[in-house]
Amino acid sequence: MPDKRPLDPLQPVLYIDHCRYRQTYRKRALHLHSSLAEALKAIQPRVKLQLRINDKGPPQDGSFEVAVSPQPTDDSKARQSVWTGLRRMPSASKVPHVDDILTPVCFALQLRDPHKESHRRMLTNLRHNEGSRARRRDIKNVSNNT
């Protein structure tokens, strides 16, 4: 049964259509929403991702589809599809990981992409600096022991 609570018209919506006969799909859909909402909040703190499950009525058997929209809409053509699990694949592969859909969702919502070069460079610098500190500690420990 679809959730009919009112949606905030100023916030994005994650639409997930999943097979009703697979009990784990609902749990995985809720987990995907919470993980994605947390990731988006880290990128843009003002974003509150809303969720609609099986909003278009009964979905196809064995399906797991994910779409996103910058604001609530009843028109399924206005939603941008970011994942489809309709292909014949094992059921474990039908549900995406957050990392698989984070970039397409950011693009669809016109948010800052967390995988841009500047972020990669910053993470690389952080890893390099942490490695330098560890090497300095190791050198210091070796020199103290001798």
Side-chain angles (χ1 to χ4, degrees):
M1 184 168 125
D3 184 13
K4 293 298 180 188
R5 285 181 283 166
L7 295 172
D8 183 352
L10 302 175
Q11 294 295 333
V13 183
L14 182 70
Y15 295 94
I16 299 178
D17 292 321
H18 67 81
C19 176
R20 294 180 297 163
Y21 303 113
R22 305 238 186 228
Q23 295 298 322
T24 60
Y25 281 3
R26 182 165 181 83
K27 290 178 188 174
R28 293 172 81 184
L30 294 172
H31 182 264
L32 178 67
H33 170 255
S34 66
S35 300
L36 187 59
E38 187 177 310
L40 290 177
K41 197 168 281 260
I43 296 167
Q44 288 280 2
R46 62 181 169 75
V47 171
K48 182 183 175 192
L49 188 65
Q50 303 173 92
L51 176 65
R52 280 290 189 240
I53 295 178
N54 294 340
D55 197 47
K56 297 185 289 186
Q60 288 182 327
D61 288 347
S63 68
F64 195 98
E65 295 183 273
V66 181
V68 68
S69 176
Q71 62 269 350
T73 180
D74 289 331
D75 183 16
S76 60
K77 293 178 182 172
R79 303 172 187 172
Q80 183 164 349
S81 178
V82 293
W83 181 268
T84 182
L86 287 177
R87 298 184 305 247
R88 291 181 182 253
M89 61 175 62
S91 61
S93 306
K94 288 194 179 205
V95 181
H97 189 271
V98 175
D99 295 339
D100 296 334
I101 63 170
L102 182 59
T103 300
V105 167
C106 288
F107 182 75
L109 299 178
Q110 298 176 349
L111 298 177
R112 187 171 50 109
D113 187 356
H115 300 293
K116 283 189 177 175
E117 188 61 35
S118 62
H119 293 279
R120 287 185 191 149
R121 204 174 310 129
M122 183 177 70
L123 290 174
T124 303
N125 289 339
L126 286 173
R127 286 187 205 119
H128 177 71
N129 290 338
E130 287 174 3
S132 299
R133 283 190 213 126
R135 280 192 297 271
R136 277 186 255 146
R137 274 191 307 239
D138 291 341
I139 293 170
K140 193 175 185 180
N141 289 340
V142 169
S143 62
N144 287 341
N145 291 339
T146 55

